[in-house]
Amino acid sequence: MTIERPAARPANPRFSSGPCAKPPTFELNKLAGAALGRSHRAAVGKDKLKAAIEGTRELLGIPADYRIGIVPASDTGAVEMALWSLLGERKVEMLAWESFGAGWVTDVVKQLKVDAEVKTADYGQIVDLASIDFNNDVVFTWNGTTSGVRVPNGDWIADDRAGLTICDATSAAFAMDLPWDKLDVTTFSWQKVLGGEAAHGMLILSPRAVERLESYTPAWPLPKIFRLTKGGKLIEGIFQGATINTPSMLAVEDYLFALDWARSVGGLQGLIARADANAQAIFEFCDQNDWIDNLAEDPATRSNTSVCLKFTDPRIRDGASFAKAVAKRLETENVALDIGAYRDAPAGLRIWCGGTVETSDIQAMLPWLKWAFEAEIAAQAEAA
Ligand SMILES: Cc1ncc(COP(=O)(O)O)c(C=O)c1O
């Protein structure tokens, strides 16, 4: 039996969960104004770094008294800088429901050896958010990129908390509403929802996080790359574009371009609407097809960026090789690139739905997913 290929193809087959698709209007020559070959401390470079910080503040609605810094090593750099600089003052609750959250648990428990209570949930589920004691510091991932499970909102975070909340929001920022009054430390990378480059991380600090930095010195040594204070005072320059070490001005220019594009589609609310529409198209596809389902069990926790899917057809004999084979067919046809589930996640697919992806491309890709599924079921039967 030959299974007919769909007629239309996505204009852009890039559905990777990071680096994510560039904004639809991106062309390399749009970066021609980059301050290349100049000192990042010269006025031209500093102005661009400042514009990146203030553009982030404007688009994400970050309060004026929060500090926003551009730091080394993408989101990982920003998160680890926060963990190493802030933790140890009190007990910490570590919340994890997928691989990146689990990575932060390893940092805290095995490397820093801080007094920690670890709360984990399996892929597809989330921890009991009602069980958290906000006298402790709390570390969590807003959107679990590898399970497609996100916190539904910030209502579970206490307003009168004594501890700090430290939130890895890398696959949430620019796609979900982040309640800044609930978040003391927030991090993300340019490579995710805005389709930027991965070089740098963003570190966003509430006034309470700054107070902790200025009143507490961790017991362990901090490399220069992590140091946010000098002589017990915050290094304010970091939050005004005087980066700790040399940034990539090409990546900065690319981020400025992405911010401009974000403004052109209606800013944060426009970006959220785009991600929601993309994810909704996939949710409906799952409703219409009984062989595929969202990995996230509770609809309230379903991601609108990293949508993770599992195959549920009882005819499938080897789930991992089946999912890989479907992803391979889609890649070979150049209709969907990089959509295999994350290496540590359950077998399945992960389709990026952040705002740089066009809904028309998701819609054009889904019939191909059905095609690849049916072709693989047929191939499995033939092999038997
Ligand atoms: C939730 C989460 N945290 C951290 C990272 C690591 O990000 P980066 O490679 O930008 O440091 C990722 C990357 O996919 C992620 O999804």
Side-chain angles (χ1 to χ4, degrees):
M1 185 178 94
T2 51
I3 296 150
E4 198 132 324
R5 281 172 167 68
R9 284 166 188 273
N12 185 355
R14 291 175 174 80
F15 302 107
S16 151
S17 291
C20 302
K22 307 296 280 179
T25 55
F26 176 82
E27 291 166 23
L28 264 180
N29 64 18
K30 302 254 169 89
L31 308 186
L36 303 183
R38 293 291 314 274
S39 167
H40 59 295
R41 313 226 184 252
V44 58
K46 268 194 102 163
D47 286 352
K48 285 183 185 284
L49 289 158
K50 231 178 154 173
I53 290 172
E54 290 315 317
T56 303
R57 188 187 305 282
E58 168 217 326
L59 275 153
L60 292 181
I62 300 171
D65 59 351
Y66 278 47
R67 306 312 201 280
I68 304 172
I70 298 170
V71 302
S74 206
D75 181 64
T76 309
V79 174
E80 294 194 328
M81 206 167 180
L83 301 181
W84 260 254
S85 298
L86 291 161
L87 292 187
E89 192 255 2
R90 62 184 63 220
K91 191 174 162 183
V92 57
E93 289 192 35
M94 299 296 302
L95 315 185
W97 48 90
E98 50 78 65
S99 144
F100 284 103
W104 309 141
V105 172
T106 301
D107 273 357
V108 168
V109 173
K110 295 227 170 100
Q111 298 293 320
L112 291 174
K113 301 186 170 63
V114 170
D115 180 15
E117 186 170 343
V118 179
K119 296 182 171 167
T120 59
D122 283 342
Y123 279 85
Q125 299 173 358
I126 197 163
V127 300
D128 178 8
L129 297 173
S131 74
I132 292 147
D133 178 356
F134 286 95
N135 284 314
N136 300 324
D137 291 332
V138 178
V139 178
F140 70 103
T141 302
W142 192 277
N143 181 78
T145 321
T146 63
S147 70
V149 171
R150 65 171 169 182
V151 295
N153 52 50
D155 296 353
W156 53 282
I157 300 173
D159 288 323
D160 61 349
R161 59 194 177 276
L164 299 176
T165 50
I166 299 177
C167 173
D168 173 358
T170 199
S171 54
F174 294 105
M176 305 176 201
D177 265 318
L178 297 174
W180 297 106
D181 58 330
K182 305 274 191 179
L183 303 176
D184 296 304
V185 178
T186 311
T187 67
F188 70 90
S189 166
W190 298 343
Q191 54 114 347
K192 279 282 186 296
V193 179
L194 287 190
E197 294 302 303
H200 303 297
M202 298 301 271
L203 178 67
I204 302 165
L205 303 176
S206 75
R208 292 183 60 244
V210 174
E211 208 178 286
R212 169 78 64 86
L213 284 171
E214 292 189 331
S215 62
Y216 163 72
T217 307
W220 43 81
L222 286 179
K224 171 181 170 178
I225 213 89
F226 279 6
R227 267 177 254 153
L228 294 165
T229 59
K230 190 171 180 193
K233 284 303 225 187
L234 189 74
I235 304 171
E236 293 282 0
I238 295 172
F239 304 93
Q240 292 158 5
T243 49
I244 296 173
N245 66 334
T246 312
S248 159
M249 295 312 292
L250 191 57
V252 170
E253 194 69 13
D254 181 75
Y255 183 60
L256 292 174
F257 170 81
L259 290 173
D260 272 344
W261 171 79
R263 288 183 189 97
S264 78
V265 295
L268 179 59
Q269 293 312 315
L271 289 168
I272 292 173
R274 288 173 66 91
D276 282 349
N278 289 340
Q280 188 58 36
I282 299 180
F283 299 165
E284 284 167 16
F285 180 82
C286 290
D287 289 344
Q288 289 153 9
N289 292 282
D290 59 5
W291 45 267
I292 194 160
D293 208 353
N294 203 301
L295 185 60
E297 289 173 14
D298 176 358
T301 66
R302 282 182 191 159
S303 175
N304 66 348
T305 55
S306 57
V307 176
C308 293
L309 303 173
K310 58 182 177 192
F311 292 103
T312 56
D313 193 297
R315 289 172 294 175
I316 296 169
R317 280 198 290 273
D318 174 348
S321 51
F322 186 90
K324 272 194 190 132
V326 168
K328 179 96 189 112
R329 279 179 193 272
L330 294 169
E331 181 166 335
T332 305
E333 290 289 340
N334 200 35
V335 290
L337 306 176
D338 310 322
I339 65 161
Y342 190 71
R343 57 179 186 266
D344 300 337
L349 302 176
R350 179 176 58 165
I351 301 167
W352 184 254
C353 286
T356 57
V357 171
E358 300 278 21
T359 307
S360 54
D361 286 337
I362 295 274
Q363 284 163 340
M365 178 272 291
L366 290 171
W368 283 95
L369 174 51
K370 193 173 164 76
W371 165 82
F373 166 77
E374 283 169 359
E376 204 46 45
I377 287 284
Q380 191 191 255
E382 265 167 40

